Amino acid sequence: MDEASDVMPTELPIERRQRHTRDRTTSLNSLSHFKSGPSKHIRGPSTLRNRDSNASMKSIGSETDYSEIIAPIPRRHLLQTSQSLHWLRVDTSQGDEWLNRGVSPVSASSVGSVFPNNRMANRLSFTALMDHERTAVGPSSTTDNRVLEDEGTVGAGRRFVRWMHRNNMKNWVIPSAIATSTLVKWCIGLGAYSGHDTPPMFGDYEAQRHWMELTVHLPVKEWYTYDLQYWGLDYPPLTAYVSWLCGRVGSLIESSWFTLQASRGIETGGSKLFMRATVLVLDLLIYIPALYTFVCSWQGTRSSRKRHAALLTLLFHPALLLIDFGHFQYNSVMLGLTLLAINAFAAGHDLLGAIFFVLSLGFKQMALYYAPAIGSYLIGKCIYLGPVQGTRLFLRLALTTTLAFVIMFAPFLPPFSPLSTIAAPITRIFPFGRGLFEDKVANFWCFTNVLVKWKRTFAGRKGFLIKASTGLTALGFLPAVVGLIFGGYKTRLQKDPKNDLVNVSPAMASAAPSSPTPILPLLPYALLTCSMSFFLFSFQVHEKTILVPLLPLTLLLSGAAPTDEVFLWGALGNNIGVFSMWPLLKKDGLGLQYLAMLFLWNRLIGHNPFKIRYGYFVELVSSVAHTAIIFLHLLELVVTPPARYPDLFPVLNVLICTPIFGLIWLWSIKRSAEVSWAMSGLPGKRDKEGPSSAASAISARSSSAAFGHSSIRGETGVRAASLGYASGRGHGQADARRRALVVSAGGDREH
């Protein structure tokens, strides 16, 4: 054994010599990746152990000590951590200290990557490290990807993106995706729509056209009072202004389309073409840019392939396409404005985000479903910034929001209109007089109405039902509100009581108001929790309202791998959401579009709802739910509902969908708790750091500042980095990349 250990490399068999040569070449290539900056070398694990010996670095090319030179990031570690980390961006720390620290969601983030970053941030980004590692690995990674595809874990969208990239056409992925989605939307619009050829009231199509008609011909003060029995205007003022603009443009093309009274029920080919075109144009102007900005800002650290695949997933959102371009509505405008708001929050532009959200509220009151989450996020950020900066931001937000609302309602206020005019839009926007619910909607009230006849039991006591609905809704979104506000308090900027040291540098403290906060990763889950709570428990919910919680759910899905729990819940929620609207789509004559979009989208994302592969509970739920859906559809084909129960199939639809929505609501609360724990540790827990620890924390945050990112406190948490954010699993996923960033920053500061 001793003789074998002393064998020189030149005496080794040819195969072993070649393997040693490849290992040494890979190590040198890995080291050369970090030499483009001020630092001339990187101290990896082996060089740290031998940092007092310069001979090992000088004799890299020798034949005796090459085995001591290893890559600063072991290749196998990066391959094991290749899952997406863009939802949970972790802070840098020194040594193994980070294991006992709370993670920072924006320290190495791409939030705001649509804006310029410095070179250091771009050169040492997670994406750059992963791209370098893939290059070093060589053909083996490609083989692994092909194996995954053979297993059916990669959808058609990802394969299309990969093919475009391999053929040097990656710059055409986004234009072709937008063009294809636009073509699909137009093809959906070739079918029927809500109220097609069903006089005298027709449907939502006629309602939208009628609002264009009345806003063009009537003064502003009569918009919300004119002939309320025939599709009276009941959306906020921004919808009325957009209707006025579309009506003006349409009147220039053909005035008969919007003639007051005489144009009611008009369904000429030209008018239908114009109405469909308005939805498409507004979608291209607002919703598509919002999706693109979201992918760039929230997923900027990912590779371009993954960002393009995420955009494809969002562009073909089946529920939204069927309602807006089939049934006929303008939900993409409201959802796009909300998405622009959270993109602005992610970039640190809170005032701009507040304005976008006010515009979303001004277009459709359904955006109120997001209000508790957005308001709590902003309050949490004010708490995070501390008394001075936080109070200043709070006052600026209050002033900006108030001014935006005043400008929006200005035509209904003095001196433009009498003060009493403002009462009409308010009463029309909040229709408490319509009752608890109208149609069979997959929420708590319709689900329990099978056993408890709410309207009959509480006849004449409508006030009690309103209070009960409000109370249940508030209880439903309370966990999200508490999580955001408490997260802001737990991660607030403050001084060390022992050392009188601020946990951030002055420059970073001054930049904090314009930077994202540690609670930013909670926002998508909070939006899902709040909106789903409103859908399940609030007053006067329509089946189309499921689009509101489906937006944050689909955003989370777009950033997850097909094997992640988030992906599986997102796919299940979208499929069940589309199915919950089946009675409406069936009445509109959109059965073919319904089936086509479900098959297209599931094929696009690579989801098989009947295949159980990863041992998640959600997979079992998905298989049972989709089996029930198929059985119900087959039952509808062969069975006629009895005259005594004409709503048999809609009720069965509610009984299938409501439990799934309830599980998604509970799951969102669970995930929020996990992310909150990962972000700030257990409630009431803080590290007791001495002078050296405090100085170390400040030093670590200074290195974070060197990358051009905001400082986030990291002194709380209990090994919380093992909690994935976009993935349902994952343990210590960021080890190698975190250490590389720390070592690189340390080397740059020394040189």
Side-chain angles (χ1 to χ4, degrees), residues 141-221:
S141 62
T142 303
T143 304
D144 294 339
N145 289 337
R146 288 176 179 174
V147 171
L148 287 176
E149 288 186 9
D150 292 339
E151 294 176 356
T153 59
V154 178
R158 292 176 186 264
R159 289 199 295 271
F160 165 75
V161 170
R162 190 191 66 176
W163 182 84
M164 294 287 284
H165 280 247
R166 285 183 173 179
N167 289 275
N168 297 321
M169 293 187 292
K170 67 179 181 179
N171 293 331
W172 289 94
V173 172
I174 294 178
S176 61
I178 294 175
T180 304
S181 67
T182 303
L183 177 62
V184 171
K185 294 169 185 176
W186 191 258
C187 290
I188 293 175
L190 295 177
Y193 48 82
S194 173
H196 174 64
D197 196 23
T198 55
M201 292 299 294
F202 300 94
D204 282 346
Y205 172 90
E206 172 61 16
Q208 300 288 342
R209 190 213 60 81
H210 177 63
W211 294 346
M212 298 178 190
E213 167 195 336
L214 66 89
T215 53
V216 167
H217 292 283
L218 298 176
V220 174
K221 62 181 180 180

Side-chain angles (χ1 to χ4, degrees), residues 57-180:
M57 292 299 297
K58 294 178 181 179
S59 58
I60 293 177
S62 68
E63 299 179 350
T64 59
D65 56 1
Y66 65 89
S67 60
E68 295 296 325
I69 305 301
I70 64 174
I73 308 172
R75 182 188 309 166
R76 60 185 181 84
H77 290 175
L78 273 181
L79 291 179
Q80 291 172 357
T81 62
S82 60
Q83 289 193 8
S84 169
L85 291 171
H86 57 282
W87 289 112
L88 185 61
R89 294 172 281 272
V90 291
D91 194 8
T92 58
S93 57
Q94 297 182 355
D96 294 331
E97 182 184 8
W98 72 275
L99 289 173
N100 294 317
R101 291 178 169 270
V103 296
S104 163
V106 296
S107 58
S109 84
S110 65
V111 172
S113 62
V114 290
F115 304 99
N117 284 335
N118 58 34
R119 289 183 183 176
M120 183 68 71
N122 292 332
R123 188 172 72 247
L124 296 179
S125 66
F126 289 161
T127 305
L129 293 174
M130 291 304 297
D131 288 344
H132 167 72
E133 189 61 24
R134 293 188 189 96
T135 302
V137 170
S140 60
S141 62
T142 303
T143 304
D144 294 339
N145 289 337
R146 288 176 179 174
V147 171
L148 287 176
E149 288 186 9
D150 292 339
E151 294 176 356
T153 59
V154 178
R158 292 176 186 264
R159 289 199 295 271
F160 165 75
V161 170
R162 190 191 66 176
W163 182 84
M164 294 287 284
H165 280 247
R166 285 183 173 179
N167 289 275
N168 297 321
M169 293 187 292
K170 67 179 181 179
N171 293 331
W172 289 94
V173 172
I174 294 178
S176 61
I178 294 175
T180 304

Side-chain angles (χ1 to χ4, degrees), residues 229-513:
Q229 299 302 315
Y230 186 82
W231 297 115
L233 182 59
D234 56 1
Y235 279 5
L238 187 57
T239 291
Y241 304 148
V242 172
S243 298
W244 174 85
L245 179 61
C246 293
R248 284 292 183 186
V249 174
S251 297
L252 293 176
I253 300 174
E254 177 57 60
S255 60
S256 63
W257 295 344
F258 303 105
T259 305
L260 190 62
Q261 294 286 342
S263 63
R264 290 188 177 184
I266 186 172
E267 292 181 321
T268 62
S271 65
K272 290 190 287 187
L273 179 64
F274 174 78
M275 293 294 291
R276 292 292 194 187
T278 58
V279 182
L280 197 61
V281 170
L282 290 173
D283 180 82
L284 290 171
L285 291 177
I286 298 176
Y287 187 66
I288 300 300
L291 292 180
Y292 178 77
T293 308
F294 170 82
V295 172
C296 291
S297 60
W298 285 79
Q299 304 185 18
T301 56
R302 310 181 78 198
S303 67
S304 58
R305 288 189 184 184
K306 292 183 178 179
R307 293 199 304 270
H308 292 164
L311 184 61
L312 275 174
T313 301
L314 297 170
L315 284 173
F316 290 89
H317 188 198
L320 180 62
L321 267 62
L322 288 170
I323 292 300
D324 274 21
F325 301 94
H327 176 83
F328 195 92
Q329 281 194 340
Y330 296 91
N331 295 289
S332 61
V333 177
M334 181 265 293
L335 297 177
L337 291 171
T338 300
L339 192 52
L340 288 173
I342 67 173
N343 293 341
F345 296 146
H349 303 302
D350 299 317
L351 299 183
L352 181 61
I355 293 174
F356 276 129
F357 188 62
V358 169
L359 292 176
S360 180
L361 289 170
F363 192 83
K364 271 197 173 184
Q365 58 268 45
M366 285 194 304
L368 279 171
Y369 289 16
Y370 299 133
I374 298 233
S376 300
Y377 169 78
L378 295 174
I379 292 174
K381 181 168 184 177
C382 293
I383 296 174
Y384 159 77
L385 293 175
V388 178
Q389 295 277 14
T391 303
R392 186 178 304 167
L393 177 61
F394 180 82
L395 293 176
R396 293 170 65 191
L397 286 169
L399 180 61
T400 301
T401 303
T402 303
L403 186 60
F405 273 114
V406 169
I407 293 175
M408 186 182 304
F409 283 90
F412 303 92
L413 296 171
F416 303 102
S417 299
L419 185 59
S420 59
T421 307
I422 192 63
I426 298 299
T427 55
R428 292 291 299 168
I429 292 171
F430 301 102
F432 292 109
R434 295 185 184 178
L436 188 63
F437 57 86
E438 292 181 355
D439 296 324
K440 300 296 184 295
V441 184
N443 68 354
F444 169 80
W445 300 108
C446 291
F447 182 81
T448 56
N449 192 66
V450 176
L451 299 176
V452 182
K453 304 301 180 182
W454 296 106
K455 294 182 180 180
R456 184 188 311 165
T457 304
F458 295 94
R461 299 168 58 189
K462 188 181 300 183
F464 173 81
L465 290 177
I466 294 177
K467 293 177 182 178
S469 173
T470 304
L472 287 176
T473 304
L475 286 175
F477 65 69
L478 184 62
V481 171
V482 171
L484 286 168
I485 295 178
F486 179 74
Y489 170 78
K490 196 71 182 292
T491 59
R492 68 194 183 281
L493 303 176
Q494 62 180 10
K495 293 184 178 180
D496 190 306
K498 293 183 178 180
N499 304 282
D500 197 30
L501 293 173
V502 181
N503 63 353
V504 290
S505 63
M508 298 170 71
S510 62

